[in-house]
Amino acid sequence: MRERLVRVAGGMMKSLSRTAYLCVANDVKQGSSRCLSSVAEPKQSNLRQVFRTSEDDPRAHTLDHVGLFYKIPETEVNSMFKGCIHPWHLRLMNTFNEHCLMVRKPSVEVNGYLKNMNFNHPVPKFVYYGRRGAGKVCSLLHTMHFCARNDWIMVHVPWAGQWVRGWNKEVAESTHKPGRFDLPMDAAEWLSHFRIQNQNKLKDLKTTSEYIWTKREKADVGTPLDEIINFGLNRFKFSSDCVGVLLKELRLQAAEKGFKVLVAINSVNSFFVPWSKENTLKNSEKKQVLPHEVSLVHNFKKMLSPTWNNGAVVCTVNEGSNDQSLREDYTPQYLLGQEGFEWFDPFVPILVPEYSSTEALSCLSYYIDRNWIQNEHGRTEEGMKEIMFVSNRNPFNLYKVCSSL
Amino acid sequence: MASLSPWTRYSLCRSLRYCRSSASSVLFSRDLLRNQNGIAGSGSSRDNCTEAPSPSSSDGKQKASSGKAVTISRAMRAYMERAKAHDDMMKAEVADYEIGKRHLANIMGEDPDSFTQDDVNRAIEYLLPSGLFEKRARPMMKDPYEIFPKKKAAQFGLDGRPYHWLYFTTSPNYYALLYDIAWKMEDLKAEEDRLAEEKDGKPDREKESSDFTLARSEWITHQRLKDLLVENVPEKEYRHFLVLMERLAAHPLAYKMEEFIATYREPIAMQSQTLEVPQIEVDSDGRSFATASGKRKKCAATVRVFKPGSGKVVINGEDLQYFSNFVYRESLLFPLSLTGLVGEVDIEAEVQAQGGPTAQAGAIRLAVSRAVTAFVDESIREDLRLAGMLTEDPRTKERKKPGQEKARKKFTWKKR
């Protein structure tokens, strides 16, 4: 069986361009050298190494690993990545009985920057952009995984678009400032997400100023942040304010206490572009609530300002979060709009391209390995070429094409 | 010749002209020449020709120099009158045509002397534009000999005797052909008997394996037979002809009659051989490419296929993302996967963005298939054709009819 697979791989290599061939060959070589350091990995090279790497630590990923899948441990999927992976992707991972991500060049690049960054400067900002389904969120996940392994504190928004859309959502007048609106449920949901993601990292963090919720309730100086979160979860009315407090404390203490904060926001353009569909947020007077009037958005926008350091901001911009009329282009400048662009400036745009032929081949090999492609023709070299053509090597389209094979 | 009366000379020239123009009128010219010979033969000397028959003679008799009267039958006289009238008419028409052509050239501001029929067609299309569907219904100006039907020459001599021995069957050429076939058949039978005697019942094996075959040709069509015989052949008679020919061709010794059979067969050309294969060109970067265009519904596409390539597709400056639905991408994939060129060619397509994605994808697919033929061999080209990749889809939107809601749908009918 193994011999057969290797032969297939050889055939594929022949058809690839020379650079691609060299890349794979190079990796096989490196894979064996990496094996020496890892645990109980058999020394001989097999086909698995063409699309899979045994290097599970994103900190060790280099350009040599680009196009290879690495496995995320189950514990991290249930803590760090809970609620982060897109449902279709999570379903696929569950079907495969393992949680694998492909190492791709954009995230390796960003991780490299984060590794060598001088964090005394105001927060650096990176924006992943690219076509729909090109793997922006997966790149973000890889960066998050990298930071989580480095014990950074995660401030992650799985999908910012949720905060500007309605679906009969509860919208309350802000308790902190009139003219702003709270989303108690969303804020509470985010608080619990934050708590799960940063389970053991908030122990010795305490507030640095006094916060008065009501006449009777207040948080004194030195209240643990855990308690603030608990308060927000118990009293939904103040959950948005708790988020504000939490973010403010993180900003203030990041440099002082020496912990690093990663702000990861998916489809950050929803913070700046009003959503004017039927399901837009409406206040009690049935008037549309604009993004900047939402207290959650207001608080998170402060995380994007260069007023603090010892952290990093990595975001994605997403066409799908914009109105139908504002989806002509996928560049950050277009999607963020004038206001968003000015707010973000300066930032490093990182293009997430479609799969290269090596990456697409690796992905298809992975799908074949997982028996996701069962059609006999789909497993041949010719069939793979056809799948690549029809999907245009777009990762999501590749999945969609293969899901019916 | 110069001594012939003017109309006879003219008709002779005409007959020579027909001789050049088409095989079907050989019969006509031959008959006419025979007609002349008949006239000459009837007299004793060449001088008789000078006094060749003239329809103007009232009594139908001519005095030959020998003193013997040449009788012209009434039928012949009537024919001659008709022929003269026809020739006069044609002459006038030709003169009209020539002058009209010169006028047209002047209107178009071109040189009348070098104004060809192609120029005439172009001028007519420009001056009298017509949207009529039927091409033959559109205004035209052509040589009168192309427009007026051909006339059959006289089938009988001055004495009223028909030349052809089967004249009174009313279809002499047709029955002569059947007669020929029947006799050829008899010849073959006799030959077969002779061979059987010689070889002691063993047929001639070596000759049998000669390349006589009916597979590469088909019997001439009904219309073609009519043209060939210059006679009206009814459908039933045509079928009779086919039966006889089939019988002849099925004979084991039919290869001996190959030449005869071949005159009534038309070769079948392989469709893909008749296709126009685009030329392979080389661009400034030294890459070879072929250009082709295709149509579907109202959409037209022009495509350049580069080989060698890496499977890159550019449609109106975008990549395959231009078609969001996989169905359309698959339709582009089909000609490539059939020819085994997936990932080996680059495609650059320009398509009009009018019409839906189906039309656009269909137009691009047709153009790609046509362009790809430049890079593949004959058999794959034939595969492409058989798969329908090289056939233009003629279907278009049906027009809406007045009094109806759509093309076919009727308004709701209410009783009152």
Side-chain angles (χ1 to χ4, degrees):
Chain A
M1 180 66 181
R2 177 171 294 161
E3 275 170 20
R4 195 181 67 84
L5 285 174
V6 169
R7 210 174 55 227
V8 169
M12 287 180 314
M13 283 173 187
K14 236 180 283 165
S15 72
L16 286 171
S17 61
R18 207 162 56 155
T19 48
Y21 170 76
L22 285 176
C23 180
V24 173
N26 194 13
D27 189 76
V28 170
K29 207 164 53 189
Q30 296 228 342
S32 57
S33 67
R34 274 200 304 278
C35 291
L36 293 174
S37 60
S38 59
V39 203
E41 182 76 16
K43 236 183 175 185
Q44 83 252 30
S45 64
N46 57 16
L47 183 73
R48 289 196 139 209
Q49 285 165 331
V50 174
F51 62 86
R52 212 188 262 275
T53 173
S54 56
E55 186 56 77
D56 288 351
D57 192 348
R59 285 173 293 186
H61 287 160
T62 59
L63 286 178
D64 295 330
H65 298 86
V66 167
L68 303 181
F69 284 87
Y70 79 100
K71 202 168 171 178
I72 306 170
E74 196 75 16
T75 49
E76 278 179 314
V77 171
N78 290 332
S79 58
M80 229 301 290
F81 284 136
K82 198 166 170 67
C84 301
I85 305 170
H86 202 277
W88 73 262
H89 201 178
L90 192 62
R91 257 197 321 273
L92 192 70
M93 286 172 161
N94 290 338
T95 313
F96 290 168
N97 220 4
E98 61 178 12
H99 299 78
C100 282
L101 265 189
M102 190 196 273
V103 182
R104 299 200 57 201
K105 199 173 161 237
S107 52
V108 171
E109 188 185 339
V110 170
N111 295 356
Y113 294 151
L114 293 182
K115 220 182 278 181
N116 304 315
M117 191 69 73
N118 179 358
F119 287 99
N120 294 325
H121 294 307
V123 278
K125 282 171 274 187
F126 301 94
V127 175
Y128 285 123
Y129 72 101
R131 285 247 177 78
R132 298 180 97 173
K136 298 181 288 290
V137 172
C138 285
S139 298
L140 189 65
L141 288 182
H142 192 224
T143 304
M144 282 166 61
H145 198 194
F146 168 82
C147 294
R149 285 289 176 97
N150 281 327
D151 283 332
W152 289 37
I153 285 180
M154 296 284 144
V155 177
H156 175 236
V157 181
W159 182 46
Q162 194 181 347
W163 294 346
V164 290
R165 281 154 175 76
W167 296 299
N168 303 324
K169 204 181 272 181
E170 190 188 332
V171 180
E173 186 87 11
S174 174
T175 46
H176 176 61
K177 192 164 192 172
R180 226 175 266 152
F181 295 92
D182 283 349
L183 303 172
M185 295 301 288
D186 282 338
E189 200 183 330
W190 185 82
L191 282 175
S192 90
H193 178 67
F194 179 78
R195 195 163 63 169
I196 292 168
Q197 274 196 326
N198 303 289
Q199 261 159 0
N200 301 315
K201 298 172 196 163
L202 302 172
K203 267 178 276 175
D204 47 351
L205 292 182
K206 294 185 173 68
T207 54
T208 51
S209 53
E210 194 185 53
Y211 299 103
I212 300 166
W213 311 118
T214 60
K215 275 177 192 168
R216 284 180 210 142
E217 291 165 302
K218 67 172 183 176
D220 292 327
V221 179
T223 314
L225 289 187
D226 270 335
E227 243 171 65
I228 301 280
I229 293 171
N230 277 339
F231 179 75
L233 289 174
N234 291 331
R235 299 286 308 276
F236 277 11
K237 192 182 173 188
F238 299 107
S239 54
S240 290
D241 295 337
C242 288
V243 172
V245 167
L246 204 60
L247 296 181
K248 186 187 163 191
E249 290 299 334
L250 288 176
R251 276 202 305 277
L252 287 175
Q253 296 182 33
E256 281 175 29
K257 296 243 171 145
F259 60 84
K260 293 200 178 84
V261 178
L262 174 74
V263 180
I265 302 172
N266 180 19
S267 70
V268 74
N269 47 329
S270 334
F271 284 177
F272 305 102
V273 183
W275 176 256
S276 57
K277 280 288 174 60
E278 276 176 15
N279 60 359
T280 188
L281 279 184
K282 278 171 194 157
N283 60 16
S284 54
E285 290 159 8
K286 303 284 177 199
K287 286 241 175 95
Q288 186 188 352
V289 176
L290 294 171
H292 68 266
E293 294 170 334
V294 179
S295 53
L296 270 177
V297 172
H298 178 84
N299 289 332
F300 269 89
K301 268 158 91 173
K302 283 185 190 166
M303 295 305 275
L304 308 177
S305 64
T307 52
W308 59 290
N309 54 18
N310 214 20
V313 176
V314 185
C315 298
T316 68
V317 285
N318 180 11
E319 283 170 76
S321 301
N322 270 15
D323 264 348
Q324 205 80 36
S325 56
L326 294 170
R327 293 179 185 179
E328 285 156 19
D329 205 356
Y330 58 88
T331 55
Q333 190 182 12
Y334 175 81
L335 289 176
L336 289 169
Q338 185 66 22
E339 189 211 335
F341 190 79
E342 279 167 9
W343 194 277
F344 251 90
D345 204 38
F347 66 93
V348 185
I350 308 278
L351 174 67
V352 182
E354 262 89 18
Y355 281 153
S356 65
S357 55
T358 325
E359 286 172 330
L361 199 63
S362 159
C363 184
L364 285 170
S365 309
Y366 180 63
Y367 283 163
I368 289 169
D369 176 63
R370 296 283 102 191
N371 273 338
W372 187 241
I373 298 174
Q374 300 205 344
N375 189 309
E376 276 308 312
H377 184 61
R379 288 159 168 258
T380 61
E381 192 191 334
E382 195 64 27
M384 284 188 190
K385 276 187 188 172
E386 290 180 13
I387 295 171
M388 283 192 221
F389 182 91
V390 172
S391 64
N392 199 25
R393 300 213 202 106
N394 180 299
F396 182 62
N397 287 349
L398 197 71
Y399 152 75
K400 274 215 294 196
V401 172
C402 293
S403 59
S404 60
L405 292 176
Chain B
M1 287 284 166
S3 55
L4 292 175
S5 70
W7 75 268
T8 323
R9 191 170 64 228
Y10 184 71
S11 62
L12 200 62
C13 293
R14 280 277 297 103
S15 69
L16 288 172
R17 178 187 181 140
Y18 271 128
C19 248
R20 277 197 304 275
S21 63
S22 71
S24 66
S25 29
V26 168
L27 206 98
F28 177 55
S29 61
R30 194 180 60 207
D31 287 351
L32 219 139
L33 283 171
R34 211 189 303 169
N35 191 0
Q36 297 298 334
N37 293 338
I39 296 162
S42 62
S44 57
S45 74
R46 197 174 168 273
D47 286 351
N48 289 347
C49 285
T50 57
E51 314 240 24
S54 157
S56 56
S57 61
S58 53
D59 58 353
K61 285 190 177 179
Q62 291 281 320
K63 285 273 182 187
S65 57
S66 61
K68 195 179 171 187
V70 178
T71 320
I72 299 178
S73 75
R74 211 184 293 159
M76 190 63 202
R77 211 163 38 216
Y79 165 75
M80 280 151 123
E81 271 163 24
R82 259 185 287 121
K84 186 176 184 310
H86 178 71
D87 283 344
D88 288 347
M89 187 271 282
M90 288 307 281
K91 228 189 285 179
E93 289 286 345
V94 169
D96 275 358
Y97 169 72
E98 291 300 334
I99 216 95
K101 203 162 80 171
R102 295 185 77 83
H103 277 312
L104 203 57
N106 287 331
I107 292 170
M108 297 302 287
E110 284 177 43
D111 178 26
D113 293 322
S114 60
F115 206 62
T116 61
Q117 181 61 43
D118 284 343
D119 299 326
V120 171
N121 294 345
R122 203 160 27 77
I124 293 288
E125 200 182 339
Y126 172 72
L127 293 171
L128 305 167
S130 169
L132 290 175
F133 180 79
E134 179 59 59
K135 293 254 166 46
R136 286 182 302 169
R138 294 181 186 172
M140 63 168 96
M141 183 169 145
K142 278 183 180 168
D143 190 301
Y145 286 110
E146 283 179 44
I147 291 181
F148 292 98
K150 293 176 185 75
K151 294 269 187 190
K152 208 171 171 183
Q155 301 289 298
F156 40 80
L158 290 179
D159 52 357
R161 279 165 173 266
Y163 298 130
H164 205 286
W165 63 286
L166 286 168
Y167 175 78
F168 290 105
T169 59
T170 68
S171 304
N173 295 333
Y174 172 73
Y175 285 106
L177 176 60
L178 296 196
Y179 183 82
D180 275 356
I181 299 171
W183 270 112
K184 302 251 182 226
M185 194 70 195
E186 290 304 316
D187 287 350
L188 287 187
K189 280 180 192 165
E191 182 74 8
E192 196 180 18
D193 290 344
R194 197 180 57 77
L195 282 176
E197 266 175 33
E198 268 180 24
K199 296 244 174 178
D200 224 358
K202 281 179 191 166
D204 196 353
R205 283 282 167 205
E206 51 172 330
K207 217 27 176 141
E208 224 168 278
S209 60
S210 70
D211 57 349
F212 172 70
T213 173
L214 298 180
R216 271 178 253 120
S217 56
E218 58 189 357
W219 295 116
I220 55 172
T221 58
H222 189 189
Q223 188 56 45
R224 182 87 186 87
L225 184 70
K226 280 187 198 173
D227 292 345
L228 211 60
L229 300 178
V230 206
E231 269 171 14
N232 181 31
V233 182
E235 172 71 30
K236 196 181 152 196
E237 306 295 351
Y238 172 66
R239 268 185 274 126
H240 192 188
F241 157 77
L242 287 187
V243 168
L244 285 186
M245 286 305 280
E246 288 282 1
R247 205 176 288 161
L248 182 69
H251 195 277
L253 297 175
Y255 62 83
K256 287 181 188 283
M257 298 296 167
E258 192 176 351
E259 211 173 309
F260 174 74
I261 293 172
T263 53
Y264 297 99
R265 291 190 71 83
E266 268 167 10
I268 308 169
M270 204 194 238
Q271 283 274 345
S272 57
Q273 281 171 348
T274 61
L275 287 172
E276 268 186 42
V277 179
Q279 289 287 316
I280 296 180
E281 299 163 63
V282 179
D283 70 356
S284 53
D285 302 336
R287 284 209 299 169
S288 55
F289 69 95
T291 311
S293 54
K295 270 167 87 178
R296 171 83 213 273
K297 291 185 181 173
K298 281 188 175 176
C299 207
T302 318
V303 161
R304 289 208 293 174
V305 172
F306 293 87
K307 197 186 176 213
S310 57
K312 212 175 98 185
V313 181
V314 180
I315 304 168
N316 287 356
E318 275 183 62
D319 61 0
L320 256 187
Q321 210 100 4
Y322 186 80
F323 294 120
S324 52
N325 199 329
F326 294 154
V327 175
Y328 306 124
R329 298 183 191 180
E330 275 170 31
S331 74
L332 291 194
L333 172 71
F334 199 86
L336 297 181
S337 68
L338 201 68
T339 50
L341 289 174
V342 186
E344 284 169 32
V345 290
D346 285 349
I347 295 172
E348 260 179 35
E350 281 296 323
V351 63
Q352 297 161 2
Q354 66 185 27
T358 313
Q360 292 179 28
I364 296 176
R365 186 179 79 169
L366 182 62
V368 166
S369 314
R370 281 175 177 167
V372 151
T373 53
F375 298 109
V376 296
D377 60 11
E378 190 67 36
S379 66
I380 299 180
R381 217 174 284 159
E382 180 67 6
D383 285 349
L384 269 176
R385 188 188 67 79
L386 290 178
M389 291 292 107
L390 300 174
T391 316
E392 193 174 313
D393 191 342
R395 295 174 298 174
T396 47
K397 178 185 161 293
E398 190 175 334
R399 64 156 290 193
K400 185 204 170 295
K401 317 286 185 308
Q404 291 182 10
E405 205 158 13
K406 299 202 285 188
R408 302 283 173 97
K409 191 185 180 186
K410 316 292 183 295
F411 290 119
T412 316
W413 183 77
K414 285 178 97 177
K415 200 170 179 185
R416 57 185 60 84

